[in-house]
Amino acid sequence: MTDLNHIPFQNDDPDADDVLERALGKSGHALPQDAVARREIAQTVAGLAALGADVPQVKPSDALRAKVLGAAVKRSTPSVVPRNNAADSNRFIRVLGLAASVAAVILLASNVYFMNRLSELEGKQDAMMASMAHDADMMVAMIAEGQKTPLADDSGQERATVVWMAGAAQGMMITQDLPMLSPDLTYQLWLIGPDGVPVSAGTFSVDTDGTAHLMFDAGILVEGFNAFGISVEPMGGSEQPTTTPLAIGQRT
Amino acid sequence: LELSIDLDFMAIPIVASDADLIARIVARDEGALASLYDRYGTLVFSVALHIVQDVAQAEEVTQDTFVKVWAQGAAWNGSRGKVTTWLITISRYTAIDRLRSEKRKASGDAVALDDILAVLGEEGPMDDPVWADVQILKDSLRDLPADQRQVLELAYFRDMSHTEMSDHLNVPLGTVKSRVRAGLNKLRGLWLERGVTDD
């Protein structure tokens, strides 16, 4: 049995008095490089987390969920997969607009700084155009040669199509005539395995004309899934569908 | 088109591990962030509220915490720490940082959150599966003497220095330091008692 009151810190020197303050992030000293001292601080941080876990639990308002998820996603760098290319297009246009503004300043001032800045923006623009061109090539190939599964609503009206190249894990979903949702809701695409378990392929929003396309990476061959579905979920998406799917299709 | 798909799949529950959720967050899966919030939003909010003592500010701290998780999920070392420890540490730091700003308290020399999280990911007793459970975190405090827990709570939740605690409690500075040292040793001993290797 360990004597709990007589367990010295391994780094039992005068600096040990600072362990608490260092672990709490308020010491004027930088964190030590010494491995033993760093471990001591790590253990202190972890142990003190018990204090945090022990506070009275207060449920936040329901509205906070959408606020938190909206803020997180809004401030993040858009990802490659899954990707909503409508958003890419908007960002592309914004970058072009900024580049044009910067170019105008250069003409007036011939400022080296802005020349460098323009060069950076052009690089980003080129990369973005290359990415979009790659996506476009993929889309054309998938639409022309790929496998297709239509997703239909209860009335049988086709609402979306999932396309992919045979033997690939990447695919794309194209929607048709889906209504725009309120800001606290999002569409979510599901890939349904042979066991009936839905796996999220990402969330998406539609343009004013009801269209959107979502590139996704299934992680395994798309043929490994038996069906596809679209449901309406709270902003940020859900771990599993929480509403009846508005469109569904069995892989053909 | 004839629909012949069994819609019962919608009722099948899926329980992803914390590590799975973080991996999906790193892959920019918004649903994973939503799941993490559903699982720990109350914990994060409660820690923040306990510190800032204001619902509106606690909501902002909660939002900032999950924004950091979304932006820096790749920094979490799943082989070392537990997500609960990580979230509590970020929430506590963010809340205290907000209080420091309000008090116009100098924070320029404070240790950066990233540094703390980095050292937390390098080593730690959290390797042991027992630390996965919030309840066990709580249980580790059960045997902590009241005077030792008091100073640790003042430091943790009220951001007090040793000197400030001495003034607040009206006890000698040496006594505060002794209680802090004993309290930290006690926590360390509790980790050891739970079979965590200390090599």
Side-chain angles (χ1 to χ4, degrees), chain A residues 158-182:
Chain A
E158 288 189 15
R159 293 289 192 165
T161 304
V162 172
V163 297
W164 72 98
M165 297 299 289
Q170 293 77 32
M172 180 177 65
M173 179 219 59
I174 307 166
T175 66
Q176 303 134 32
D177 197 25
L178 281 178
M180 290 186 74
L181 299 173
S182 60

Side-chain angles (χ1 to χ4, degrees), chain B residues 15-43:
Chain B
V15 181
S17 70
D18 290 349
D20 288 341
L21 291 181
I22 296 297
R24 286 166 51 195
I25 285 171
V26 172
R28 321 318 290 158
D29 182 341
E30 298 169 22
L33 184 68
S35 296
L36 193 74
Y37 178 86
D38 292 341
R39 198 171 290 180
Y40 296 119
T42 295
L43 174 65

Side-chain angles (χ1 to χ4, degrees), chain A residues 26 38 43 54 76 196 236, chain B residues 9 70 122 149 160 188 191:
Chain A
K26 59 183 181 179
R38 290 177 73 86
Q43 289 175 337
D54 201 34
S76 69
Chain B
F9 76 84
W70 179 252
E122 291 171 14
R149 176 167 176 155
M160 287 189 182
R188 181 184 173 84
W191 299 331

Side-chain angles (χ1 to χ4, degrees), chain A residues 73-95:
Chain A
V73 175
K74 182 180 177 183
R75 295 183 194 183
S76 69
T77 301
S79 61
V80 175
V81 176
R83 175 163 56 194
N84 184 332
N85 280 22
D88 276 353
S89 300
N90 292 335
R91 193 171 66 252
F92 177 66
I93 291 168
R94 286 198 297 274
V95 170

